[in-house]
Amino acid sequence: MTLQSAPHSDPSNDSHEGPLARIAIIGRGFTGIMNAIALLKGFDQPFHLVMYDPNPRINGGEDISRSGKTVLNSRVRDLSVDPDTRVDFRHWLEADDELSGREGAVGENLDHAFVSGEVFSAYVYQRFSEALRKRTDVIVQVRAEAVIAVDRDPHGGLQIVSGDGEQAHFDAVFLATGYGVSEKAEDRPAPAHAESAIVVGGGVHAVDRALKLLASAEASHVTLVSASGFLPQSHTGAAVGPVAPDKPLPGTLRGAFRFLRQAANTAELEGSGWQGIMNGFRLRAGDLWKGLTTEERRRFKRHVKPIYDSHRNRLPPSHYRSLHEAIDNGTITMKKGKVERIATNGVLLSTSAGLQVLAGDRTIDCRIRPVDVDAPLFRSVFSSGLARRDELELGIFVDRCGRTVVAVDEFDGLFAMGPLGLGSLPDIDQVPEIVLQAYAAASTLRSWLNQPLASRDTIVAG
């Protein structure tokens, strides 16, 4: 489907010379749509954009929330798709009386409200449509085919192979598949009421789903299964900015987290809360990560990441209160264990005490699975030498702009955006970080394409 095929400006008045740059985005969840917005607003020369995804409907929030109705874990103030206009999302909400009224906050208080993925998706899609209408020099096509391989084109550039075997040439390709390309299981028909339900997952989506089951009377009791045993902590009632202690951050994993614990404990005693300390730590996490040894990074993945995630992916205060009230009154039971199998009547759970059968009338899987680096698409970029796995096998090794990094001073036009780069860039699965990365990638791509062909493989580390 061609979304726009507008006439180009008169060549005599057009500073661009030569054929249109051809750019592909694989994935049309939030990461993919955000990259399209950044290209439309930041790539200031004519181009032809093709967006691939087997789902024929554009949805602006697929990798932000697996269910559009799930509350997001970022406040309104942090959800703008324009990094230069932080209040853009708030202004969009305020322009719709029904939406702003539904959020139950007005004026500056709306900055600190939490919205659903459904509302955020509508905003992202509208901003994409507006950016597209302003670019009469751009052709955008949406292709419903899955992409199974990306390789070097023998004649230069990159080549995409879609599921039907069709090959297409591009100057640059963005992998924007969120957490991967594995198929989502179809939801089974839900009973009108379940005496007992099981929700698998320890993140914001899982908690939100468990609370909704109880609030809508779809279940009388919910067992919440977390593999790590941790659940999300709470945001503060009023948002706090980053707080960084005066002392320099230690360069080792153990030292850094001892430093973080001490700073958070001090903040709690002073009444300012640990959340600001965590916000400040996250701003410095990228530099810390670059200095860690491989073994320290692996130790982080094994032992620290679940705790870190539970403090960075936070619940709105009202959700946090409701969760712990439900745990206290027994309507939610928390279980720690790894789900080995999901059946129609419950789950097989591996715990420290051994295997356990957990019975339930309904089971809902809310886990965010790691990137499947063995999927055909990713295997193709690894085998062709366009990309390499990060050392923790969380995804693809990238720089700050999302460029895949294989060797020093080597770049062939392939980007791996958002959560695909989690092994290289902590927190790159958060909305503000994805937005900044998308604009940085658009700017980097324009500079790279304007270089002479002989020098295009040079990378400046980002």
Side-chain angles (χ1 to χ4, degrees):
M1 176 177 67
T2 301
L3 293 182
Q4 178 172 335
S5 182
H8 301 298
S9 56
D10 185 341
S12 63
N13 297 322
D14 195 342
S15 60
H16 175 76
E17 297 179 359
L20 289 178
R22 285 179 54 83
I23 304 170
I25 296 177
I26 302 172
R28 287 190 284 125
F30 172 67
T31 304
I33 294 291
M34 187 61 242
N35 274 271
I37 292 172
L39 287 168
L40 290 167
K41 297 179 73 173
F43 192 84
D44 57 350
Q45 64 187 53
F47 64 96
H48 182 179
L49 175 64
V50 183
M51 303 183 72
Y52 288 89
D53 200 304
N55 179 357
R57 185 172 75 88
I58 294 177
N59 182 329
E62 288 168 1
D63 17 292
I64 296 302
S65 168
R66 291 181 61 189
S67 168
K69 297 183 186 301
T70 299
V71 68
L72 302 186
N73 65 358
S74 295
R75 299 174 192 271
V76 165
R77 67 167 193 171
D78 296 320
L79 293 177
S80 172
V81 297
D82 185 342
D84 296 325
T85 310
R86 191 174 182 181
V87 295
D88 184 60
F89 183 42
R90 190 191 86 191
H91 287 169
W92 182 86
L93 284 172
E94 289 174 332
D96 189 315
D97 293 337
E98 181 181 349
L99 281 178
S100 58
R102 189 196 308 174
E103 302 314 321
V106 294
E108 291 189 2
N109 288 334
L110 190 56
D111 277 341
H112 308 316
F114 295 86
V115 300
S116 69
E118 183 178 41
V119 171
F120 183 60
S121 293
Y123 159 72
V124 173
Y125 180 75
Q126 183 173 324
R127 290 296 185 253
F128 167 72
S129 301
E130 292 167 351
L132 181 58
R133 284 197 297 270
K134 292 179 180 178
R135 292 299 301 267
T136 59
D137 60 340
V138 173
I139 297 171
V140 177
Q141 290 179 289
V142 174
R143 302 288 298 271
E145 297 90 346
V147 172
I148 60 173
V150 178
D151 201 347
R152 289 184 176 86
D153 191 309
H155 304 292
L158 300 173
Q159 186 179 85
I160 276 180
V161 181
S162 56
D164 59 5
E166 181 181 341
Q167 299 179 355
H169 166 85
F170 293 94
D171 297 291
V173 173
F174 288 80
L175 302 177
T177 58
Y179 287 93
V181 294
S182 57
E183 294 294 323
K184 294 184 177 70
E186 292 294 324
D187 289 336
R188 297 186 181 94
H193 177 79
E195 191 61 31
S196 61
I198 300 170
V199 174
V200 181
V204 172
H205 177 43
V207 171
D208 188 73
R209 196 71 182 90
L211 293 175
K212 281 185 168 65
L213 286 172
L214 296 174
S216 62
E218 292 180 66
S220 300
H221 176 269
V222 176
T223 301
L224 195 55
V225 180
S226 167
S228 65
F230 293 100
L231 294 175
Q233 296 296 307
S234 177
H235 278 287
T236 56
V240 293
V243 176
D246 296 333
K247 297 179 181 178
L249 190 66
T252 65
L253 182 65
R254 180 171 296 177
F257 277 88
R258 183 186 301 117
F259 175 86
L260 178 61
R261 282 195 301 270
Q262 291 172 348
N265 289 338
T266 300
E268 284 289 281
L269 291 173
E270 293 174 349
S272 57
W274 56 265
Q275 288 88 346
I277 297 293
M278 176 58 79
N279 294 345
F281 179 79
R282 285 178 56 195
L283 295 177
R284 305 160 76 179
D287 292 334
L288 170 66
W289 187 256
K290 286 196 299 185
L292 296 181
T293 65
T294 298
E295 181 52 40
E296 283 182 310
R297 292 183 181 188
R298 288 176 178 154
R299 193 180 306 126
F300 171 84
K301 180 183 177 183
R302 289 194 304 268
H303 304 297
V304 181
K305 191 174 187 299
I307 306 173
Y308 181 68
D309 285 346
S310 72
H311 285 75
R312 74 183 181 105
N313 296 324
R314 303 174 205 149
L315 289 167
S318 59
H319 280 62
Y320 185 80
R321 288 192 298 271
S322 296
L323 168 65
H324 287 276
E325 287 171 2
I327 291 174
D328 289 343
N329 65 33
T331 52
I332 288 181
T333 299
M334 169 71 182
K335 278 279 189 182
K336 177 183 177 180
K338 179 184 177 184
V339 172
E340 301 290 348
R341 181 183 299 176
I342 296 178
T344 55
N345 60 344
V347 301
L348 179 63
L349 194 64
S350 177
T351 71
S352 58
L355 290 175
Q356 176 184 350
V357 176
L358 194 61
D361 301 318
R362 181 182 180 187
T363 300
I364 301 171
D365 190 352
C366 295
R367 289 172 293 182
I368 294 178
R369 292 174 176 80
V371 174
D372 181 7
V373 290
D374 290 317
L377 172 60
F378 300 126
R379 284 207 311 268
S380 73
V381 298
F382 298 143
S383 62
S384 63
L386 289 170
R388 61 186 173 96
R389 301 182 185 195
D390 65 64
E391 57 201 357
L392 300 185
E393 297 203 344
L394 292 174
I396 296 174
F397 186 39
V398 298
D399 70 4
R400 291 184 185 275
C401 298
R403 291 172 294 195
T404 59
V405 178
V406 179
V408 177
D409 294 339
E410 183 178 338
F411 177 62
D412 295 289
L414 182 66
F415 293 80
M417 306 300 291
L420 292 176
L422 270 174
S424 311
L425 305 171
D427 297 329
I428 196 58
D429 56 345
Q430 302 291 306
V431 172
E433 283 75 15
I434 292 173
V435 170
L436 290 172
Q437 186 189 52
Y439 281 94
S443 175
T444 298
L445 177 60
R446 185 182 186 285
S447 298
W448 181 73
L449 287 177
N450 285 336
Q451 292 179 21
L453 286 175
S455 60
R456 271 194 189 173
D457 60 348
T458 300
I459 303 180
V460 178

